[in-house]
Amino acid sequence: MSKPIPLFDIRLDDAEVAAVEQTLRSGWLTMGPRTADFERAFAAHLGVEHAVAVSSATAALHLAYLAAGVGPGDEVIVPAITFVATANAVRYCGGTPVLAELKGQHDLGIDPADVAARITERTRAVCAVHFAGYAADIAPLRELCDERGIALIEDAAHSPSATAPDGRMLGTLGLASAFSFFSNKVLSCGEGGLLATDDDDVAELARSRRAHALTSGTWDRHRGHAASYDVTALGFNYRIDEPRAALLIERLKGLEDDVARRRALVHRYRELLGGVEGLTIPYRDEEVDRSSCYVMPVMVDDPALRDPLRQAMQERWNVQTSVLYPAIHEFTAYAGAAGPLPRSELAARTELTVPLFPHLTEDDQDRVVAAVTSELAELRQAPPS
Ligand SMILES: Cc1ncc(COP(=O)(O)O)c(C=O)c1O
């Protein structure tokens, strides 16, 4: 059997490992000066006023929804095709996630027309996910939200270093955005996240609530800058720590190169898979150069063939694939959360995510392409009964 080709792989260089080692030996592990340095660097990279590093994008989403005023009785419109965190964080606030359709098989982002149809007097926020690092259709969403005084939140978990068609950075287009630094993400440290905003009040809420709304942090107390503290609101432990912040500082330096390599690989996938019968490749070529290219989604037109194709690619070619994402209302915990959402359900049954990471070699990519094309051709000729 040929060597496995994983869906995702991470490689750390010597400078990244050294930065973490130095931090481990520094005697200070929880949130402190390295976290502040990373926040400054990421805010500068994005061009925003405030970057608040936290323990995950889930935490950042929770804080963003709280900052938007989401509470019991409120609704937040989120896409049905996303990681469950986008919806769960609404529930953490006591609110109700209202699931909206994606645009279609060519664009897996939330559909603004469907969002418009789901707005009620209880809608407090809309969350746009930049799926796979491709910009959601922000202009009409922004207009809808602005007209009605609704907050626009960006789930930018997939999209560091990506831009909207007007050139603005994703993650700077709404009231607040949430980035993920989970280990398989474009910018990764294991577990971590960040809330970005230009709004001073949102930033203040996030900084406070990430550490139990204490009036002084442990680093301040360590330096003797504060002897005691007050607790001003219900907060959480959403702190990141210094080894992860140190790793992120180093990895941020390589982000643009990593994204450039991802884009080149995606262009190559699109060339090699573009004409394959029975496959639809979402997004347009010109969108690739604005995307962070977090993952490579392809749509298997016949839903009956998607799972057999995944299985054959694994068993006969040793190529790992995934599905991004099952539809949220089809999870047990969200049963009954939405009526039929046919476009989202079709995407959930047809999407296939193939391997993509910056150091994927062209030889390995050729094997992935050969696996998809030959197995799909065979399955189309002799469909499973
Ligand atoms: C779209 C989306 N939102 C939110 C998250 C949550 O990120 P984290 O694991 O950092 O909490 C993820 C992670 O996979 C994601 O893909």
Side-chain angles (χ1 to χ4, degrees):
M1 182 65 120
S2 42
K3 80 173 167 61
I5 302 179
L7 185 65
F8 166 76
D9 191 34
I10 187 166
R11 243 182 221 171
L12 300 185
D13 67 25
D14 291 347
E16 290 162 351
V17 173
V20 175
E21 189 182 342
Q22 215 177 37
T23 307
L24 292 173
R25 295 184 193 287
S26 74
W28 188 260
L29 296 183
T30 191
M31 202 168 70
R34 286 175 178 82
T35 303
D37 286 348
F38 172 63
E39 291 178 337
R40 272 190 292 276
F42 200 79
H45 159 77
L46 272 187
V48 285
E49 287 294 321
H50 309 282
V52 183
V54 289
S55 50
S56 67
T58 307
L61 283 166
H62 183 190
L63 296 171
Y65 292 148
L66 283 177
V70 177
D74 292 333
E75 294 174 353
V76 179
I77 302 178
V78 305
I81 294 292
T82 179
F83 184 59
V84 70
T86 320
N88 276 351
V90 179
R91 288 188 168 178
Y92 299 166
C93 303
T96 303
V98 172
L99 305 180
E101 280 279 36
L102 48 65
K103 293 181 90 172
Q105 295 290 88
H106 289 276
D107 184 334
L108 307 178
I110 193 168
D111 177 11
D114 196 61
V115 170
R118 291 175 197 278
I119 290 177
T120 70
E121 72 281 359
R122 290 187 298 279
T123 308
R124 190 58 88 136
V126 171
C127 185
V129 177
H130 301 300
F131 187 95
Y134 295 87
D137 197 356
I138 284 290
L141 291 172
R142 183 88 211 217
E143 207 175 301
L144 276 175
C145 290
D146 287 351
E147 274 168 8
R148 294 166 177 80
I150 294 169
L152 178 62
I153 305 295
E154 295 172 84
D155 182 331
H158 299 178
S159 53
S161 205
T163 53
D166 66 6
R168 288 185 301 158
M169 299 285 284
L170 302 189
T172 67
L173 310 175
L175 177 68
S177 63
F179 287 87
S180 175
F181 307 129
F182 178 65
S183 61
N184 71 7
K185 292 294 190 284
V186 176
L187 177 64
S188 58
C189 69
E191 299 284 354
L194 182 138
L195 179 147
T197 184
D198 282 323
D199 186 300
D200 296 346
D201 295 335
V202 171
E204 195 182 315
L205 181 143
R207 284 192 190 287
S208 161
R209 304 287 183 99
R210 76 175 158 182
H212 286 292
L214 306 192
T215 50
S216 75
T218 42
W219 177 243
D220 291 329
R221 293 197 299 283
H222 171 70
R223 288 181 303 162
H225 287 188
S228 185
Y229 57 81
D230 188 18
V231 174
T232 56
L234 178 64
F236 315 92
N237 179 355
Y238 283 165
R239 290 184 298 269
I240 195 165
D241 58 33
E242 292 288 271
R244 283 183 270 192
L247 184 54
L248 286 166
I249 290 168
E250 281 308 310
R251 288 181 65 73
L252 183 58
K253 295 174 188 166
L255 175 65
E256 298 296 342
D257 286 349
D258 283 352
V259 169
R261 177 72 189 143
R262 286 173 179 276
R263 287 176 180 155
L265 287 163
V266 168
H267 278 302
R268 193 162 182 273
Y269 263 138
R270 295 176 68 86
E271 256 172 56
L272 296 171
L273 292 173
V276 173
E277 288 286 322
L279 274 191
T280 296
I281 312 297
Y283 302 103
R284 287 173 286 117
D285 287 340
E286 62 268 26
E287 290 176 280
V288 172
D289 293 318
R290 296 195 293 265
S291 171
S292 59
C293 295
Y294 162 51
V295 287
M296 177 69 202
V298 301
M299 315 306 275
V300 182
D301 296 339
D302 181 347
L305 303 188
R306 196 271 312 271
D307 290 342
L309 176 60
R310 286 195 68 198
Q311 194 178 346
M313 288 176 69
Q314 182 67 62
E315 286 173 4
R316 295 163 66 164
W317 297 79
N318 220 355
V319 172
Q320 188 188 20
T321 61
S322 182
V323 171
L324 268 72
Y325 291 95
I328 294 210
H329 59 296
E330 298 188 307
F331 290 130
T332 306
Y334 280 87
L341 295 168
R343 277 178 272 156
S344 302
E345 288 152 26
L346 180 64
R349 284 168 192 36
T350 54
E351 197 275 346
L352 174 79
T353 306
V354 297
L356 180 65
F357 44 90
H359 53 279
L360 179 69
T361 64
E362 291 193 354
D363 282 353
D364 282 353
Q365 190 179 31
D366 288 340
R367 176 142 62 92
V368 176
V369 169
V372 174
T373 48
S374 66
E375 295 299 336
L376 184 58
E378 209 171 296
L379 284 164
R380 278 164 55 86
Q381 278 207 327
S385 47

